[in-house]
Amino acid sequence: MAAPDADEHWAPPSARSQPHLRLLALAVRDFRNLERVEVEPSPDATVAAGQNGQGKTNLLEALYYLATLKPLRAARLAELIRFGADQARVEGRFLIRGAERAIAVEVSSAGTRQAYVDGKRAESLEDYFGGVSVVAFTPDDLAVVKGAPEGRRALLDRAVFNRFPSFLKESRDYSRALKSRNRLLRDSAPDAYLSAYDETLARLGARIWMRRRQLLCELAPLAEKAFAAIGRIDSPARYRYSLARLHPEEHSLPEPQLCTRLGEALRARLPHDRDRAFTSVGPHADDLAIELGDQRARAFASQGQQRALVLAWKIAEVENLLSSLGYLPLLLLDDVSSELDPDRNAFLMDYLARCGAQCFLTTTEPALVRRAASPSARWLSVRAGTVSPSHPPASQP
Amino acid sequence: MIPAPLGRLVAQLAKLPGIGEKTAQRLAFHILRSPREYAQELSQALLETVERVRLCTRCFALSDDELCGFCRDQRRDDGVLCVVEGIADLMAIERTREFRGRYHVLHGVLSPLDGVGPDQLRIKELLSRLGDGKVEEVILATNPDVEGEATALYLTRLLKPFGLTVSRIAQGVPIGGDLEFADQATLARALSARREL
């Protein structure tokens, strides 16, 4: 059930009434199994219902890809194209801070993509990301607490990217420098050559650390509050950064010192790293530690508790964008309701109904999401790659 | 049917970067309509370029002689050496007319992912140029990307023992450009490297 007192921790309702970001229309062509789909979403909730394998997640993924240029599920780009077609295209008409923008992306069968803003080619990714942000919530997310660290790093980095758009280039540069250093380790390059890449990696890594720290400073308290508001679990949640092979306090150093410390750690680990041909220290080896009470949730939390921990994180991400940047992202929920128990699902649905964000939900069971849908919600039915208007489920007793 | 020589000319022109079939045809027609001297001049210039232009033996810029114009120019300052990745970067710096020192062209950057190491670049040649003690400052003007930075750091370490000043070109918002058009990474970097007035 919704906890009414949760509101006081969150941004005031006045901020929510400003529609800074809204999708007005979505057109999808030859994307996954969707041949040609046009949707005019509701300003509130749009629900795509259908059986598994019919294409409702593909519809959500098309929108996610348009907003982030990343596939929602791991895939090569060419796999996004409908079988037998030459290219896939997704286009959205958005209202961004009062101005209407048409944003489109095409993927060719060669695996290349081209983005367009208002019909003109976007030269760089920076041109493209002019204020469309999305928070996606999928059944895969619900498993991150238990899963490998890379899932939690991805969860964290998606939130960092939404908050700090330059993080996209910064993290790409870091991973390029990391790959370069690993290649040098594998090729047994001389120390002088390797140390040039150590220093490059240390600078870029310090920047990643600083971004993640800034984000966690904002987000962790919100997530901890949201977790308390979800209720039914007495122990408090904690979300904190866990540095691989470095003292936890080092994470609070200013950026230049972070750079120095990472450089020292890289030098110290060099003999070990040369043996393994792999870099063993740095942001790529860290973890987002999620704790319940004083225990690692990964090992000790029940499945229901773990899901509540992710749910709280996602709500905090939305709230943090509103409080730090002043606008709500689009929310994409892929059949999450069937994975949550009834109370937590009700909490989520009530949150969606009152948070003010434009939501897109998929479900196999429309009754599960009807609480998120206002009378103005749009209901769609997805069957074998075609999308048609449908009706809200009959109200329950 | 277009005459075979014309077809060959169009095909050759179309191989040039940025030139499509249609543009190649337009260029070929233009050459055909021009006075005979133009074609002679053009073909001679082409041949001479590939036959006579080579790398300067000192700085590895383009030259038509043992030493290039920059190395031969007596008015330039021997005390300052600007290290660049390629000829295009040298031309860009030269266009500013601000820099009156000498150049050194590396012909690439250290890029492990592309298999380019120190031996593939003109680094040994750079170090041997510093032996005569004339150079007091080396400006590292490689690009501000991952490989350019790593190359600058690598060179810094090699150059330190020579006891000269090693400097790196500054990074930030382009002058004359609007802040609103600067990309996010550049702006973020410029903000973090701000200075007090």
Side-chain angles (χ1 to χ4, degrees), chain A residues 367-387:
Chain A
L368 284 176
V369 303
R370 68 184 315 279
R371 291 176 75 138
S374 67
S376 66
R378 179 138 301 150
W379 294 83
L380 305 168
S381 153
V382 183
R383 190 172 302 159
T386 59
V387 177

Side-chain angles (χ1 to χ4, degrees), chain A residues 124-126 129-130 165-166 169-170 172-177 179-181 183-184 187 190 192-197 199-200 203-204 207 211 255 267, chain B residues 109-118 144-155 157-158 168 171 181-186 188-189 192-193:
Chain A
S124 67
L125 290 178
E126 282 80 10
F129 293 112
S166 26
K169 180 171 182 344
E170 290 163 353
R172 260 192 290 152
D173 281 354
Y174 177 78
S175 60
R176 185 162 176 90
K179 267 190 227 155
S180 299
R181 185 181 191 262
R183 176 69 62 88
L184 292 175
D187 296 347
Y193 188 5
L194 201 62
S195 63
Y197 265 94
E199 212 171 321
T200 309
R203 284 184 192 181
L204 297 166
R207 177 48 62 94
R211 295 283 190 213
E255 192 176 345
R267 262 193 301 288
Chain B
V109 271
L110 296 177
S111 176
L113 297 179
D114 302 313
V116 180
D145 53 15
V146 173
E147 286 78 11
E149 286 292 323
T151 307
L153 288 164
Y154 180 76
L155 292 175
R157 277 157 199 268
L158 290 183
R168 178 93 177 97
Q171 297 158 5
F181 294 126
D183 69 88
Q184 289 147 355
T186 304
R189 187 126 50 151
S192 65

Side-chain angles (χ1 to χ4, degrees), chain B residues 90-103:
Chain B
L90 183 155
M91 308 277 246
I93 292 175
E94 202 46 31
R95 273 196 298 274
T96 67
R97 302 190 193 173
E98 291 289 330
F99 181 68
R100 299 302 295 161
R102 308 282 182 191
Y103 289 102

Side-chain angles (χ1 to χ4, degrees), chain A residues 1-4 10 137 229-232 308 311 315 333 336-355 361 366-373 396:
Chain A
M1 291 268 97
W10 292 336
F137 195 5
I230 293 169
R232 284 214 338 233
L311 177 57
I315 288 174
L333 291 97
V336 175
S337 291
S338 56
E339 303 282 332
L340 294 171
D341 64 45
D343 282 0
R344 288 183 182 121
N345 182 51
F347 181 90
L348 174 61
M349 293 304 122
D350 288 341
Y351 175 78
L352 295 180
R354 74 198 153 87
C355 78
L361 301 98
L368 284 176
V369 303
R370 68 184 315 279
R371 291 176 75 138
Q396 287 169 318

